[in-house]
Amino acid sequence: MSQDLALDGLAVPLRVLRLLAADFGHLPAPDVDVSPVFPGLLRLRFHDDLAGFEAWRDALGIVPDDVVYSEQSGGRTRVLKASVDYAGAALELTGFGDVPAPAPVGSAPAPVGSAV
C-alpha cells in the first residue's frame, strides 16, 4: 500500500526531477507530480502551453510519432501525451491546449485577382 511508503520510496522519480532541473533548467517549468500511488512515475504537465510540451519532448528525445493526440472537454481541449523511461523512472509528458475554433464558412479571403 502506498500509505506505508516512506519518502525514500520516491527516490527514483525525485532523482530524475533533480537531473532534469540540472540538465534542462532553461526549459519552461512544468506542473510536476510525484505520487506514492505510482512511486516510479514522474509526471510533467503543461497547461495551455503546447510549446513547453514540444520543448521538453525534443529535449527528452521523444520522436513526434511517439506522441499520442486526443481531445477532451467536448473537443475543446487537445491533449498530447508521451512517455519515456528516463534514468530509471517512467516519465510521462502531457500537454493541454485549446483546439482552435474553425473559421466560419465563407470567411476565407477571395482568391487573388477575383472580383469581390
Side-chain angles (χ1 to χ4, degrees):
M1 288 289 296
S2 62
Q3 65 193 25
D4 297 330
L5 187 69
L7 183 59
D8 66 358
L10 299 175
V12 172
L14 291 173
R15 184 182 69 237
V16 168
L17 181 59
R18 183 177 176 190
L19 288 171
L20 294 175
D23 294 344
F24 303 115
H26 62 284
L27 293 178
D31 176 32
V32 176
D33 181 37
V34 176
S35 170
V37 176
F38 302 104
L41 177 64
L42 173 64
R43 290 185 176 122
L44 305 179
R45 292 190 199 104
F46 295 88
H47 298 272
D48 300 322
D49 184 12
L50 295 180
F53 173 91
E54 285 299 320
W56 278 94
R57 181 200 56 75
D58 186 49
L60 294 168
I62 300 170
V63 296
D65 288 345
D66 289 342
V67 175
V68 176
Y69 176 87
S70 63
E71 293 179 357
Q72 64 185 33
S73 300
R76 294 186 315 263
T77 302
R78 64 177 112 186
V79 181
L80 302 178
K81 273 194 170 186
S83 298
V84 66
D85 289 330
Y86 194 87
L91 193 148
E92 184 180 278
L93 185 62
T94 307
F96 301 94
D98 292 334
V99 172
V105 175
S107 66
V112 176
S114 66
V116 178

